[in-house]
CSV table of all heavy atoms in Angstrom, one decimal:
chain,number,residue,atom,x,y,z
D,214,MET,N,27.6,4.7,-12.3
D,214,MET,CA,26.4,5.6,-12.1
D,214,MET,C,25.7,5.4,-10.7
D,214,MET,O,25.4,4.2,-10.4
D,214,MET,CB,25.4,5.5,-13.2
D,214,MET,CG,24.3,6.4,-13.1
D,214,MET,SD,23.3,6.3,-14.6
D,214,MET,CE,22.6,7.9,-14.5
D,215,ALA,N,25.6,6.4,-9.9
D,215,ALA,CA,25.0,6.2,-8.6
D,215,ALA,C,23.5,6.2,-8.7
D,215,ALA,O,22.9,6.8,-9.5
D,215,ALA,CB,25.4,7.5,-7.8
D,216,ILE,N,22.9,5.4,-7.8
D,216,ILE,CA,21.5,5.2,-7.7
D,216,ILE,C,21.0,6.4,-6.7
D,216,ILE,O,21.5,6.6,-5.6
D,216,ILE,CB,21.1,3.9,-7.2
D,216,ILE,CG1,21.5,2.8,-8.2
D,216,ILE,CG2,19.6,3.8,-7.0
D,216,ILE,CD1,21.2,1.4,-7.7
D,217,TYR,N,19.9,7.1,-7.2
D,217,TYR,CA,19.4,8.2,-6.4
D,217,TYR,C,18.7,7.6,-5.1
D,217,TYR,O,18.0,6.6,-5.2
D,217,TYR,CB,18.4,9.0,-7.2
D,217,TYR,CG,17.7,10.0,-6.3
D,217,TYR,CD1,18.3,11.2,-5.9
D,217,TYR,CD2,16.4,9.8,-5.9
D,217,TYR,CE1,17.6,12.1,-5.2
D,217,TYR,CE2,15.7,10.8,-5.1
D,217,TYR,CZ,16.4,11.9,-4.8
D,217,TYR,OH,15.7,12.8,-4.0
D,218,GLU,N,18.9,8.3,-4.0
D,218,GLU,CA,18.3,8.0,-2.8
D,218,GLU,C,17.8,9.2,-2.1
D,218,GLU,O,18.6,10.1,-1.9
D,218,GLU,CB,19.2,7.2,-1.9
D,218,GLU,CG,18.5,6.7,-0.6
D,218,GLU,CD,19.4,5.8,0.2
D,218,GLU,OE1,20.4,6.3,0.8
D,218,GLU,OE2,19.1,4.5,0.2
D,219,SER,N,16.5,9.4,-1.9
D,219,SER,CA,16.0,10.6,-1.3
D,219,SER,C,16.4,10.9,0.1
D,219,SER,O,16.9,9.9,0.7
D,219,SER,CB,14.4,10.6,-1.3
D,219,SER,OG,13.9,9.7,-0.3
D,220,ASP,N,16.4,12.2,0.5
D,220,ASP,CA,16.7,12.5,1.8
D,220,ASP,C,15.9,11.8,2.9
D,220,ASP,O,16.4,11.4,3.9
D,220,ASP,CB,16.6,14.0,2.1
D,220,ASP,CG,17.6,14.8,1.3
D,220,ASP,OD1,18.7,14.3,0.9
D,220,ASP,OD2,17.4,16.0,1.0
D,221,HIS,N,14.6,11.6,2.6
D,221,HIS,CA,13.7,10.9,3.5
D,221,HIS,C,14.2,9.4,3.7
D,221,HIS,O,14.2,8.9,4.8
D,221,HIS,CB,12.3,10.9,3.0
D,221,HIS,CG,11.3,10.3,3.9
D,221,HIS,ND1,11.0,9.0,3.8
D,221,HIS,CD2,10.8,10.7,5.1
D,221,HIS,CE1,10.1,8.7,4.9
D,221,HIS,NE2,10.0,9.7,5.6
D,222,THR,N,14.5,8.8,2.6
D,222,THR,CA,15.0,7.4,2.6
D,222,THR,C,16.3,7.3,3.4
D,222,THR,O,16.4,6.3,4.3
D,222,THR,CB,15.2,6.8,1.2
D,222,THR,OG1,14.0,6.9,0.5
D,222,THR,CG2,15.6,5.3,1.3
D,223,LYS,N,17.2,8.2,3.2
D,223,LYS,CA,18.5,8.1,4.0
D,223,LYS,C,18.2,8.3,5.5
D,223,LYS,O,18.7,7.7,6.3
D,223,LYS,CB,19.4,9.3,3.5
D,223,LYS,CG,19.9,9.0,2.1
D,223,LYS,CD,20.8,10.2,1.7
D,223,LYS,CE,21.2,10.1,0.3
D,223,LYS,NZ,21.9,11.2,-0.2
D,224,PHE,N,17.3,9.3,5.8
D,224,PHE,CA,16.9,9.6,7.2
D,224,PHE,C,16.3,8.3,7.8
D,224,PHE,O,16.7,7.9,8.9
D,224,PHE,CB,15.9,10.7,7.3
D,224,PHE,CG,15.3,10.8,8.7
D,224,PHE,CD1,16.0,11.4,9.7
D,224,PHE,CD2,14.1,10.4,8.9
D,224,PHE,CE1,15.5,11.5,10.9
D,224,PHE,CE2,13.5,10.4,10.1
D,224,PHE,CZ,14.1,11.0,11.2
D,225,MET,N,15.4,7.7,7.1
D,225,MET,CA,14.7,6.5,7.7
D,225,MET,C,15.7,5.3,7.9
D,225,MET,O,15.7,4.6,8.8
D,225,MET,CB,13.6,6.0,6.8
D,225,MET,CG,12.4,7.0,6.8
D,225,MET,SD,11.7,7.3,8.5
D,225,MET,CE,11.3,5.7,9.0
D,226,ARG,N,16.6,5.1,6.9
D,226,ARG,CA,17.7,4.0,7.1
D,226,ARG,C,18.5,4.3,8.3
D,226,ARG,O,18.8,3.4,9.1
D,226,ARG,CB,18.5,4.0,5.8
D,226,ARG,CG,17.9,3.4,4.7
D,226,ARG,CD,18.9,3.2,3.6
D,226,ARG,NE,18.3,3.0,2.3
D,226,ARG,CZ,17.8,1.8,1.8
D,226,ARG,NH1,17.8,0.8,2.6
D,226,ARG,NH2,17.3,1.8,0.7
D,227,GLU,N,19.0,5.6,8.5
D,227,GLU,CA,19.8,5.9,9.6
D,227,GLU,C,19.0,5.8,11.0
D,227,GLU,O,19.5,5.3,11.9
D,227,GLU,CB,20.4,7.4,9.5
D,227,GLU,CG,21.4,7.5,8.4
D,227,GLU,CD,21.7,8.9,8.2
D,227,GLU,OE1,21.3,9.8,9.0
D,227,GLU,OE2,22.4,9.2,7.1
D,228,TRP,N,17.8,6.2,10.9
D,228,TRP,CA,16.9,6.2,12.1
D,228,TRP,C,16.6,4.7,12.5
D,228,TRP,O,16.7,4.4,13.7
D,228,TRP,CB,15.6,7.0,11.9
D,228,TRP,CG,14.8,7.2,13.1
D,228,TRP,CD1,15.1,8.3,14.0
D,228,TRP,CD2,13.8,6.5,13.6
D,228,TRP,NE1,14.2,8.2,15.0
D,228,TRP,CE2,13.4,7.1,14.8
D,228,TRP,CE3,13.1,5.3,13.2
D,228,TRP,CZ2,12.4,6.6,15.6
D,228,TRP,CZ3,12.1,4.8,14.0
D,228,TRP,CH2,11.7,5.5,15.2
D,229,MET,N,16.4,3.9,11.5
D,229,MET,CA,16.0,2.5,11.9
D,229,MET,C,17.3,1.8,12.3
D,229,MET,O,17.3,0.9,13.2
D,229,MET,CB,15.5,1.8,10.7
D,229,MET,CG,14.1,2.2,10.3
D,229,MET,SD,12.9,1.9,11.6
D,229,MET,CE,12.5,0.2,11.4
D,230,ALA,N,18.5,2.2,11.9
D,230,ALA,CA,19.7,1.6,12.3
D,230,ALA,C,20.0,2.0,13.8
D,230,ALA,O,20.5,1.2,14.5
D,230,ALA,CB,20.9,2.1,11.4
D,231,LYS,N,19.6,3.2,14.2
D,231,LYS,CA,19.8,3.7,15.5
D,231,LYS,C,18.8,3.2,16.5
D,231,LYS,O,18.9,3.1,17.8
D,231,LYS,CB,19.8,5.2,15.6
D,231,LYS,CG,21.0,5.8,14.9
D,231,LYS,CD,20.9,7.3,14.9
D,231,LYS,CE,22.0,8.0,14.1
D,231,LYS,NZ,21.9,9.4,14.1
D,232,HIS,N,17.5,2.8,16.0
D,232,HIS,CA,16.4,2.4,16.7
D,232,HIS,C,15.9,1.0,16.3
D,232,HIS,O,14.7,0.9,15.7
D,232,HIS,CB,15.3,3.4,16.8
D,232,HIS,CG,15.7,4.7,17.2
D,232,HIS,ND1,16.2,5.7,16.4
D,232,HIS,CD2,15.6,5.2,18.4
D,232,HIS,CE1,16.5,6.7,17.1
D,232,HIS,NE2,16.2,6.5,18.4
D,233,PRO,N,16.6,-0.1,16.4
D,233,PRO,CA,16.2,-1.4,15.9
D,233,PRO,C,14.9,-1.9,16.5
D,233,PRO,O,14.2,-2.7,15.9
D,233,PRO,CB,17.4,-2.3,16.1
D,233,PRO,CG,18.2,-1.6,17.2
D,233,PRO,CD,18.0,-0.2,17.1
D,234,GLU,N,14.6,-1.4,17.8
D,234,GLU,CA,13.4,-1.9,18.4
D,234,GLU,C,12.1,-1.4,17.7
D,234,GLU,O,11.1,-2.0,17.8
D,234,GLU,CB,13.3,-1.4,19.8
D,234,GLU,CG,13.1,0.1,20.0
D,234,GLU,CD,14.4,1.0,19.8
D,234,GLU,OE1,15.5,0.4,19.6
D,234,GLU,OE2,14.3,2.2,19.9
D,235,GLU,N,12.2,-0.4,16.8
D,235,GLU,CA,11.1,0.1,16.1
D,235,GLU,C,10.6,-0.9,14.9
D,235,GLU,O,9.5,-0.7,14.4
D,235,GLU,CB,11.4,1.5,15.5
D,235,GLU,CG,11.5,2.6,16.5
D,235,GLU,CD,10.1,2.7,17.4
D,235,GLU,OE1,9.1,2.7,16.7
D,235,GLU,OE2,10.2,2.9,18.5
D,236,LEU,N,11.5,-1.8,14.6
D,236,LEU,CA,11.1,-2.8,13.6
D,236,LEU,C,9.9,-3.6,14.0
D,236,LEU,O,9.0,-3.8,13.1
D,236,LEU,CB,12.3,-3.7,13.3
D,236,LEU,CG,12.1,-4.7,12.1
D,236,LEU,CD1,11.9,-3.9,10.8
D,236,LEU,CD2,13.3,-5.6,12.0
D,237,GLU,N,9.8,-4.0,15.2
D,237,GLU,CA,8.6,-4.7,15.7
D,237,GLU,C,7.3,-3.8,15.6
D,237,GLU,O,6.3,-4.3,15.3
D,237,GLU,CB,8.8,-5.2,17.1
D,237,GLU,CG,9.7,-6.4,17.2
D,237,GLU,CD,9.1,-7.6,16.4
D,237,GLU,OE1,7.9,-7.9,16.4
D,237,GLU,OE2,9.9,-8.2,15.6
D,238,GLU,N,7.5,-2.5,16.0
D,238,GLU,CA,6.4,-1.6,15.9
D,238,GLU,C,5.9,-1.4,14.5
D,238,GLU,O,4.7,-1.3,14.2
D,238,GLU,CB,6.7,-0.3,16.5
D,238,GLU,CG,6.8,-0.3,18.0
D,238,GLU,CD,5.4,-0.6,18.7
D,238,GLU,OE1,4.4,0.0,18.3
D,238,GLU,OE2,5.4,-1.4,19.6
D,239,GLN,N,6.8,-1.4,13.6
D,239,GLN,CA,6.5,-1.2,12.2
D,239,GLN,C,5.8,-2.4,11.7
D,239,GLN,O,4.8,-2.3,10.9
D,239,GLN,CB,7.8,-1.1,11.4
D,239,GLN,CG,7.6,-0.8,9.9
D,239,GLN,CD,8.9,-0.8,9.2
D,239,GLN,OE1,9.9,-1.4,9.5
D,239,GLN,NE2,9.0,0.1,8.1
D,240,LYS,N,6.2,-3.6,12.1
D,240,LYS,CA,5.5,-4.8,11.7
D,240,LYS,C,4.1,-4.9,12.3
D,240,LYS,O,3.1,-5.3,11.6
D,240,LYS,CB,6.3,-6.1,12.2
D,240,LYS,CG,7.5,-6.3,11.3
D,240,LYS,CD,8.2,-7.6,11.8
D,240,LYS,CE,9.5,-7.7,11.1
D,240,LYS,NZ,10.3,-8.9,11.6
D,241,LYS,N,3.9,-4.4,13.5
D,241,LYS,CA,2.6,-4.4,14.2
D,241,LYS,C,1.6,-3.5,13.4
D,241,LYS,O,0.5,-3.8,13.2
D,241,LYS,CB,2.7,-4.0,15.6
D,241,LYS,CG,3.2,-5.0,16.5
D,241,LYS,CD,3.3,-4.4,17.9
D,241,LYS,CE,4.1,-5.3,18.9
D,241,LYS,NZ,4.2,-4.7,20.2
D,242,GLY,N,2.2,-2.3,13.1
D,242,GLY,CA,1.4,-1.3,12.3
D,242,GLY,C,1.0,-1.9,10.9
D,242,GLY,O,-0.2,-1.7,10.4
D,243,ARG,N,1.8,-2.6,10.3
D,243,ARG,CA,1.5,-3.1,9.0
D,243,ARG,C,0.4,-4.2,9.2
D,243,ARG,O,-0.5,-4.2,8.3
D,243,ARG,CB,2.8,-3.8,8.3
D,243,ARG,CG,2.4,-4.4,7.0
D,243,ARG,CD,3.6,-5.1,6.4
D,243,ARG,NE,3.1,-6.0,5.2
D,243,ARG,CZ,3.1,-5.6,4.0
D,243,ARG,NH1,3.6,-4.5,3.6
D,243,ARG,NH2,2.7,-6.4,3.1
D,244,ALA,N,0.6,-5.0,10.1
D,244,ALA,CA,-0.4,-6.1,10.3
D,244,ALA,C,-1.8,-5.5,10.7
D,244,ALA,O,-2.8,-6.0,10.3
D,244,ALA,CB,0.0,-7.0,11.5
D,245,LEU,N,-1.8,-4.4,11.4
D,245,LEU,CA,-3.0,-3.7,11.7
D,245,LEU,C,-3.8,-3.2,10.5
D,245,LEU,O,-5.0,-3.3,10.4
D,245,LEU,CB,-2.7,-2.6,12.7
D,245,LEU,CG,-3.9,-1.8,13.1
D,245,LEU,CD1,-4.8,-2.6,14.0
D,245,LEU,CD2,-3.5,-0.6,14.0
D,246,TRP,N,-3.0,-2.6,9.6
D,246,TRP,CA,-3.7,-1.9,8.5
D,246,TRP,C,-3.7,-2.7,7.1
D,246,TRP,O,-4.6,-2.5,6.3
D,246,TRP,CB,-3.1,-0.6,8.2
D,246,TRP,CG,-3.4,0.3,9.3
D,246,TRP,CD1,-2.5,0.7,10.3
D,246,TRP,CD2,-4.6,1.0,9.6
D,246,TRP,NE1,-3.0,1.6,11.2
D,246,TRP,CE2,-4.4,1.8,10.8
D,246,TRP,CE3,-5.8,1.1,9.0
D,246,TRP,CZ2,-5.4,2.6,11.3
D,246,TRP,CZ3,-6.8,1.8,9.6
D,246,TRP,CH2,-6.6,2.6,10.7
D,247,TRP,N,-2.8,-3.6,6.9
D,247,TRP,CA,-2.6,-4.2,5.6
D,247,TRP,C,-2.7,-5.8,5.6
D,247,TRP,O,-3.3,-6.3,4.7
D,247,TRP,CB,-1.2,-3.9,5.0
D,247,TRP,CG,-1.1,-2.4,4.8
D,247,TRP,CD1,-0.4,-1.5,5.5
D,247,TRP,CD2,-1.8,-1.6,3.8
D,247,TRP,NE1,-0.6,-0.2,5.0
D,247,TRP,CE2,-1.4,-0.3,3.9
D,247,TRP,CE3,-2.7,-1.9,2.8
D,247,TRP,CZ2,-1.9,0.8,3.2
D,247,TRP,CZ3,-3.1,-0.8,1.9
D,247,TRP,CH2,-2.8,0.5,2.2
D,248,ASP,N,-2.2,-6.4,6.5
D,248,ASP,CA,-2.2,-7.9,6.5
D,248,ASP,C,-3.4,-8.5,7.1
D,248,ASP,O,-3.3,-9.1,8.2
D,248,ASP,CB,-0.9,-8.4,7.2
D,248,ASP,CG,0.4,-8.0,6.4
D,248,ASP,OD1,0.3,-7.6,5.3
D,248,ASP,OD2,1.4,-7.9,7.1
D,249,ARG,N,-4.5,-8.3,6.5
D,249,ARG,CA,-5.7,-8.9,7.1
D,249,ARG,C,-6.2,-10.1,6.4
D,249,ARG,O,-6.1,-10.1,5.2
D,249,ARG,CB,-6.8,-7.8,7.0
D,249,ARG,CG,-6.5,-6.6,7.7
D,249,ARG,CD,-7.7,-5.8,8.0
D,249,ARG,NE,-7.4,-4.7,8.9
D,249,ARG,CZ,-8.2,-4.3,9.8
D,249,ARG,NH1,-9.3,-4.8,10.0
D,249,ARG,NH2,-7.8,-3.3,10.6
D,250,PRO,N,-6.6,-11.1,7.1
D,250,PRO,CA,-7.0,-12.3,6.5
D,250,PRO,C,-8.4,-12.1,5.7
D,250,PRO,O,-9.2,-11.3,6.2
D,250,PRO,CB,-7.2,-13.4,7.6
D,250,PRO,CG,-7.4,-12.5,8.8
D,250,PRO,CD,-6.6,-11.2,8.6
D,251,GLN,N,-8.6,-12.7,4.6
D,251,GLN,CA,-9.9,-12.6,3.9
D,251,GLN,C,-10.5,-14.0,3.7
D,251,GLN,O,-9.8,-15.0,3.6
D,251,GLN,CB,-9.6,-12.0,2.5
D,251,GLN,CG,-9.2,-10.6,2.6
D,251,GLN,CD,-9.1,-10.0,1.2
D,251,GLN,OE1,-9.5,-10.5,0.2
D,251,GLN,NE2,-8.6,-8.8,1.2
D,252,THR,N,-11.8,-14.0,3.8
D,252,THR,CA,-12.5,-15.3,3.6
D,252,THR,C,-13.0,-15.4,2.1
D,252,THR,O,-13.0,-14.4,1.4
D,252,THR,CB,-13.8,-15.3,4.5
D,252,THR,OG1,-14.7,-14.2,4.1
D,252,THR,CG2,-13.4,-15.1,5.9
D,253,LEU,N,-13.4,-16.6,1.7
D,253,LEU,CA,-13.9,-16.7,0.3
D,253,LEU,C,-15.1,-16.0,0.2
D,253,LEU,O,-15.4,-15.4,-1.0
D,253,LEU,CB,-14.1,-18.2,0.1
D,253,LEU,CG,-12.8,-19.1,0.0
D,253,LEU,CD1,-13.1,-20.6,-0.1
D,253,LEU,CD2,-11.9,-18.6,-1.1
D,254,GLU,N,-16.0,-15.8,1.3
D,254,GLU,CA,-17.2,-15.1,1.1
D,254,GLU,C,-16.9,-13.6,0.8
D,254,GLU,O,-17.6,-13.0,0.0
D,254,GLU,CB,-18.0,-15.2,2.4
D,254,GLU,CG,-19.3,-14.4,2.4
D,254,GLU,CD,-20.3,-14.8,1.4
D,254,GLU,OE1,-20.2,-16.0,0.9
D,254,GLU,OE2,-21.2,-14.0,1.0
D,255,THR,N,-15.9,-13.1,1.5
D,255,THR,CA,-15.6,-11.6,1.2
D,255,THR,C,-15.1,-11.5,-0.2
D,255,THR,O,-15.4,-10.5,-0.8
D,255,THR,CB,-14.5,-11.2,2.3
D,255,THR,OG1,-15.0,-11.4,3.6
D,255,THR,CG2,-14.1,-9.8,2.1
D,256,GLN,N,-14.2,-12.4,-0.6
D,256,GLN,CA,-13.7,-12.3,-2.0
D,256,GLN,C,-14.9,-12.4,-3.0
D,256,GLN,O,-14.9,-11.7,-4.0
D,256,GLN,CB,-12.7,-13.4,-2.2
D,256,GLN,CG,-12.0,-13.3,-3.5
D,256,GLN,CD,-11.1,-11.9,-3.6
D,256,GLN,OE1,-10.5,-11.6,-2.7
D,256,GLN,NE2,-11.3,-11.2,-4.7
D,257,ARG,N,-15.8,-13.3,-2.7
D,257,ARG,CA,-17.0,-13.4,-3.6
D,257,ARG,C,-17.7,-12.1,-3.7
D,257,ARG,O,-18.2,-11.7,-4.9
D,257,ARG,CB,-17.9,-14.5,-3.2
D,257,ARG,CG,-19.0,-14.8,-4.1
D,257,ARG,CD,-20.0,-15.8,-3.6
D,257,ARG,NE,-20.7,-15.4,-2.3
D,257,ARG,CZ,-21.6,-14.4,-2.3
D,257,ARG,NH1,-22.0,-13.8,-3.3
D,257,ARG,NH2,-22.1,-14.1,-1.1
D,258,GLN,N,-18.0,-11.5,-2.5
D,258,GLN,CA,-18.6,-10.2,-2.5
D,258,GLN,C,-17.9,-9.1,-3.3
D,258,GLN,O,-18.5,-8.3,-4.1
D,258,GLN,CB,-18.9,-9.7,-1.1
D,258,GLN,CG,-19.9,-10.6,-0.4
D,258,GLN,CD,-19.9,-10.2,1.2
D,258,GLN,OE1,-19.1,-9.4,1.6
D,258,GLN,NE2,-20.9,-10.7,1.8
D,259,TYR,N,-16.6,-9.1,-3.2
D,259,TYR,CA,-15.8,-8.1,-4.0
D,259,TYR,C,-15.9,-8.4,-5.5
D,259,TYR,O,-16.1,-7.5,-6.3
D,259,TYR,CB,-14.4,-8.2,-3.6
D,259,TYR,CG,-14.0,-7.6,-2.2
D,259,TYR,CD1,-12.8,-8.1,-1.5
D,259,TYR,CD2,-14.8,-6.7,-1.7
D,259,TYR,CE1,-12.6,-7.6,-0.3
D,259,TYR,CE2,-14.4,-6.1,-0.3
D,259,TYR,CZ,-13.3,-6.7,0.2
D,259,TYR,OH,-13.0,-6.1,1.5
D,260,ASP,N,-15.9,-9.7,-5.9
D,260,ASP,CA,-16.0,-10.0,-7.3
D,260,ASP,C,-17.4,-9.7,-7.8
D,260,ASP,O,-17.5,-9.1,-9.0
D,260,ASP,CB,-15.8,-11.5,-7.5
D,260,ASP,CG,-14.3,-11.9,-7.2
D,260,ASP,OD1,-13.4,-11.0,-7.2
D,260,ASP,OD2,-14.1,-13.1,-7.0
D,261,GLU,N,-18.4,-9.8,-7.0
D,261,GLU,CA,-19.8,-9.4,-7.6
D,261,GLU,C,-19.9,-8.0,-7.7
D,261,GLU,O,-20.7,-7.5,-8.5
D,261,GLU,CB,-20.8,-10.0,-6.5
D,261,GLU,CG,-21.0,-11.5,-6.6
D,261,GLU,CD,-22.0,-12.0,-5.6
D,261,GLU,OE1,-22.5,-11.2,-4.8
D,261,GLU,OE2,-22.3,-13.2,-5.6
D,262,GLY,N,-19.2,-7.2,-6.9
D,262,GLY,CA,-19.4,-5.8,-6.9
D,262,GLY,C,-18.6,-5.0,-7.9
D,262,GLY,O,-18.6,-3.8,-8.1
D,263,LYS,N,-17.8,-5.8,-8.7
D,263,LYS,CA,-16.9,-5.1,-9.7
D,263,LYS,C,-17.8,-4.6,-10.8
D,263,LYS,O,-18.8,-5.2,-11.3
D,263,LYS,CB,-15.9,-6.1,-10.3
D,263,LYS,CG,-14.8,-6.4,-9.3
D,263,LYS,CD,-13.7,-7.3,-10.0
D,263,LYS,CE,-12.6,-7.6,-9.0
D,263,LYS,NZ,-11.6,-8.5,-9.6
D,264,VAL,N,-17.4,-3.4,-11.4
D,264,VAL,CA,-18.0,-2.8,-12.5
D,264,VAL,C,-17.1,-2.8,-13.6
D,264,VAL,O,-15.9,-2.5,-13.5
D,264,VAL,CB,-18.4,-1.3,-12.2
D,264,VAL,CG1,-19.1,-0.6,-13.3
D,264,VAL,CG2,-19.3,-1.3,-10.9
D,265,PRO,N,-17.6,-3.2,-14.8
D,265,PRO,CA,-16.6,-3.3,-16.0
D,265,PRO,C,-16.1,-1.9,-16.4
D,265,PRO,O,-16.8,-0.9,-16.3
D,265,PRO,CB,-17.4,-3.9,-17.1
D,265,PRO,CG,-18.8,-4.0,-16.6
D,265,PRO,CD,-18.9,-3.7,-15.2
D,266,ASN,N,-14.9,-1.9,-16.8
D,266,ASN,CA,-14.2,-0.6,-17.2
D,266,ASN,C,-14.7,-0.2,-18.6
D,266,ASN,O,-15.1,-1.0,-19.4
D,266,ASN,CB,-12.7,-0.8,-17.3
D,266,ASN,CG,-12.1,-0.9,-15.9
D,266,ASN,OD1,-12.7,-0.5,-14.9
D,266,ASN,ND2,-10.9,-1.6,-15.9
D,267,LYS,N,-14.8,1.1,-18.8
D,267,LYS,CA,-15.1,1.6,-20.2
D,267,LYS,C,-13.9,1.4,-21.1
D,267,LYS,O,-12.8,1.2,-20.7
D,267,LYS,CB,-15.4,3.1,-20.1
D,267,LYS,CG,-16.6,3.5,-19.3
D,267,LYS,CD,-16.7,5.0,-19.3
D,267,LYS,CE,-17.9,5.5,-18.5
D,267,LYS,NZ,-18.0,6.9,-18.5
D,268,ALA,N,-14.2,1.3,-22.4
D,268,ALA,CA,-13.2,1.1,-23.4
D,268,ALA,C,-12.2,2.3,-23.3
D,268,ALA,O,-11.0,2.1,-23.5
D,268,ALA,CB,-13.7,0.9,-24.8
D,269,TYR,N,-12.7,3.5,-23.2
D,269,TYR,CA,-11.9,4.7,-23.1
D,269,TYR,C,-12.3,5.4,-21.9
D,269,TYR,O,-13.3,6.1,-21.8
D,269,TYR,CB,-12.0,5.5,-24.4
D,269,TYR,CG,-11.1,6.7,-24.4
D,269,TYR,CD1,-9.8,6.6,-24.6
D,269,TYR,CD2,-11.6,8.0,-24.2
D,269,TYR,CE1,-8.9,7.7,-24.5
D,269,TYR,CE2,-10.7,9.1,-24.2
D,269,TYR,CZ,-9.3,8.9,-24.4
D,269,TYR,OH,-8.6,10.0,-24.4
D,270,PRO,N,-11.5,5.3,-20.8
D,270,PRO,CA,-11.9,5.8,-19.5
D,270,PRO,C,-12.0,7.3,-19.4
D,270,PRO,O,-12.7,7.9,-18.5
D,270,PRO,CB,-10.7,5.4,-18.5
D,270,PRO,CG,-9.6,5.1,-19.4
D,270,PRO,CD,-10.2,4.7,-20.7
D,271,TYR,N,-11.4,8.0,-20.4
D,271,TYR,CA,-11.5,9.6,-20.3
D,271,TYR,C,-12.7,10.1,-21.1
D,271,TYR,O,-12.8,11.3,-21.2
D,271,TYR,CB,-10.2,10.1,-20.8
D,271,TYR,CG,-9.0,9.6,-20.0
D,271,TYR,CD1,-8.1,8.7,-20.5
D,271,TYR,CD2,-8.8,10.0,-18.7
D,271,TYR,CE1,-7.1,8.2,-19.8
D,271,TYR,CE2,-7.8,9.6,-17.9
D,271,TYR,CZ,-6.9,8.7,-18.5
D,271,TYR,OH,-5.9,8.2,-17.7
D,272,SER,N,-13.5,9.3,-21.6
D,272,SER,CA,-14.6,9.7,-22.4
D,272,SER,C,-15.7,10.3,-21.5
D,272,SER,O,-15.9,9.8,-20.4
D,272,SER,CB,-15.3,8.5,-23.1
D,272,SER,OG,-16.4,8.9,-23.8
D,273,THR,N,-16.3,11.4,-21.9
D,273,THR,CA,-17.3,12.1,-21.2
D,273,THR,C,-18.7,11.5,-21.5
D,273,THR,O,-19.7,11.8,-20.9
D,273,THR,CB,-17.3,13.6,-21.4
D,273,THR,OG1,-17.5,13.8,-22.8
D,273,THR,CG2,-16.0,14.2,-20.9
D,274,GLU,N,-18.8,10.7,-22.5
D,274,GLU,CA,-20.1,10.1,-23.0
D,274,GLU,C,-20.3,8.8,-22.2
D,274,GLU,O,-19.4,8.1,-21.8
D,274,GLU,CB,-20.1,9.8,-24.5
D,274,GLU,CG,-19.8,11.0,-25.3
D,274,GLU,CD,-19.7,10.6,-26.8
D,274,GLU,OE1,-20.0,9.4,-27.2
D,274,GLU,OE2,-19.3,11.5,-27.5
D,275,SER,N,-21.6,8.5,-21.8
D,275,SER,CA,-21.9,7.3,-21.1
D,275,SER,C,-21.9,6.1,-21.9
D,275,SER,O,-22.2,5.9,-22.9
D,275,SER,CB,-23.2,7.5,-20.4
D,275,SER,OG,-23.1,8.6,-19.5
């Protein structure tokens, strides 16, 4: 049984094979938006700001 691969995925695989220099640009973009260092202070602030989930999230009652 064949594994499905979208047209976009096929295009990107072919394009990256033809343009290997773009791998570095891809890594720079990821580092810019996703791979950010976090401090313990930042993590503590995130933890303090969490709100507990409702038992049933689709309920219209408070």
Side-chain angles (χ1 to χ4, degrees):
M214 179 173 209
I216 297 174
Y217 173 76
E218 187 172 68
S219 72
D220 291 337
H221 183 267
T222 301
K223 290 176 187 176
F224 169 78
M225 289 306 297
R226 285 189 198 282
E227 291 172 10
W228 194 82
M229 289 299 277
K231 292 177 185 174
H232 300 90
E234 69 279 0
E235 289 299 320
L236 187 59
E237 283 303 314
E238 286 298 315
Q239 184 182 33
K240 288 180 182 179
K241 287 180 191 176
R243 178 186 167 96
L245 179 66
W246 292 104
W247 297 105
D248 297 336
R249 297 199 173 217
Q251 292 187 6
T252 63
L253 292 176
E254 178 63 23
T255 303
Q256 189 61 46
R257 185 188 61 74
Q258 291 173 350
Y259 288 154
D260 291 341
E261 287 178 357
K263 286 186 180 176
V264 178
N266 293 336
K267 295 180 183 180
Y269 184 68
Y271 303 107
S272 176
T273 57
E274 299 174 12
S275 295

